[in-house]
């Protein structure tokens, strides 16, 4: 009788695990479905017509020159498609997309490791770029302008500057608080776009919706 109770409990537990596993798979499928709904190219993107047209021109110009696209900064309220546009740019450029966020870049070594692993033409997307610390931010200056990183070791008279060349890449930054960006960093973006809410009266090429 005791063994039967144990087996019954095991069977109940296994059934519970099976149902839990099915729910996880179902949620995963739903997430994949939602991601499939995101626009993958500029033609599929809804609203922000002037931004999209400008990006299309910039992408074509970079392809004609056979070089990396200019660095891009998107700013505006959350939920208007800044992250989506970063994905679209990488798809249009047929490049790899590397995604990170400002708060995760805490040390200069994080920057050096991140930038040195980029391949030629990669798109680096930094969300909440306004939250990068000042000490870390300065490492992006030479990376964005000259595609090299100057890493300082030691201090005082024993300080040495090690220069690491990196592949040409496109930095795409997104922020909801553009006023918190320093002028030196903001000035290094060749393309700056403000994303605004889509009004009913605004002409769109498709049905107006918003993207996270």
């Amino acid at each position: 009788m005791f063994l039967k109770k144990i087996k019954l409990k095991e069977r109940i537990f296994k059934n519970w695990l099976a149902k839990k596993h099915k729910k996880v798979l179902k949620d995963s499928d739903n997430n994949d479905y939602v991601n499939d709904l995101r626009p993958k190219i500029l033609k599929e993107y809804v609203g922000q017509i002037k931004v999209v047209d400008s990006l299309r021109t910039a992408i074509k110009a970079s392809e004609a020159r056979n070089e990396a696209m200019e660095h891009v900064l998107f700013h505006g309220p959350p939920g208007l498609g800044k992250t989506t546009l970063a994905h679209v740019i990488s798809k249009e450029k047929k490049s790899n997309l590397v995604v990170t966020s400002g708060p995760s870049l805490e040390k200069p070594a994080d920057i050096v490791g991140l930038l040195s692993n980029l391949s030629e033409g990669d798109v680096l997307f930094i969300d909440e770029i306004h939250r990068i610390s000042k000490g870390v931010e300065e490492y992006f200056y030479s990376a964005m302008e000259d595609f090299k990183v100057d890493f300082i070791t030691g201090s005082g008279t024993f300080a040495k500057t090690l220069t690491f060349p990196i592949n040409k890449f496109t930095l795409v930054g997104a922020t909801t608080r553009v006023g918190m960006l320093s002028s030196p960093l903001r000035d290094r973006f060749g393309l700056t776009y403000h994303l605004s809410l889509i009004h009913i009266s605004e002409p769109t090429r498709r049905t107006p919706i918003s993207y996270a």
Side-chain angles (χ1 to χ4, degrees):
M1 189 70 179
F2 180 71
L3 290 175
K4 286 183 179 179
K5 287 184 178 180
I6 292 177
K7 289 181 179 179
L8 179 61
K9 289 182 178 179
E10 287 180 350
R11 191 159 55 247
I12 292 172
F13 182 68
K14 287 179 180 179
N15 289 337
W16 179 82
L17 281 179
K19 289 180 181 179
K20 196 79 172 175
H21 182 62
K22 286 181 180 178
K23 184 178 185 304
V24 170
L25 289 176
K26 185 177 180 182
D27 291 343
S28 177
D29 290 342
N30 287 338
N31 288 334
D32 291 340
Y33 180 71
V34 170
N35 287 332
D36 286 342
L37 292 176
R38 287 178 180 271
K40 295 178 175 59
I41 57 177
L42 289 172
K43 189 176 180 180
E44 298 174 354
Y45 194 86
V46 177
Q48 315 293 346
I49 293 178
K50 292 182 180 179
V51 174
V52 170
D53 288 343
S54 178
L55 284 173
R56 184 179 290 109
T57 301
I59 291 171
K60 287 182 178 179
S62 67
E63 290 176 346
R65 298 192 304 268
N66 194 26
E67 60 184 33
M69 183 179 168
E70 286 189 271
H71 305 300
V72 185
L73 176 65
F74 296 117
H75 62 94
L80 297 185
K82 294 184 287 293
T83 301
T84 298
L85 281 172
H87 283 79
V88 167
I89 289 172
S90 70
K91 289 289 185 182
E92 291 279 359
K93 290 287 293 178
K94 298 179 177 62
S95 304
N96 295 322
L97 178 67
V98 179
V99 180
T100 186
S101 63
S104 66
L105 303 175
E106 300 177 345
K107 303 174 183 177
D110 297 334
I111 303 297
V112 176
L114 177 66
L115 295 177
S116 61
N117 285 318
L118 293 176
S119 300
E120 188 76 17
D122 278 0
V123 176
L124 172 61
F125 175 60
I126 304 180
D127 197 13
E128 297 184 285
I129 194 170
H130 62 274
R131 296 182 62 183
I132 295 178
S133 66
K134 182 65 177 177
V136 171
E137 175 189 307
E138 292 176 352
Y139 283 84
F140 278 104
Y141 298 165
S142 58
M144 295 173 71
E145 281 191 333
D146 305 317
F147 299 106
K148 65 178 183 179
V149 179
D150 296 325
F151 186 69
I152 301 175
T153 61
S155 59
T157 56
F158 299 99
K160 291 184 178 180
T161 301
L162 304 177
T163 300
F164 297 92
I166 58 177
N167 290 313
K168 293 183 178 180
F169 69 100
T170 297
L171 174 60
V172 178
T175 177
T176 55
R177 307 180 70 177
V178 69
M180 292 183 66
L181 287 180
S182 67
S183 294
L185 180 60
R186 191 166 59 244
D187 292 344
R188 281 170 170 79
F189 286 97
L191 302 168
T192 301
Y193 300 106
H194 172 68
L195 303 188
S196 56
L197 295 171
I198 300 175
H199 299 285
I200 296 176
S201 59
E202 179 183 348
T204 58
R205 296 190 175 96
R206 296 167 69 95
T207 305
I209 55 176
S210 291
Y211 304 102

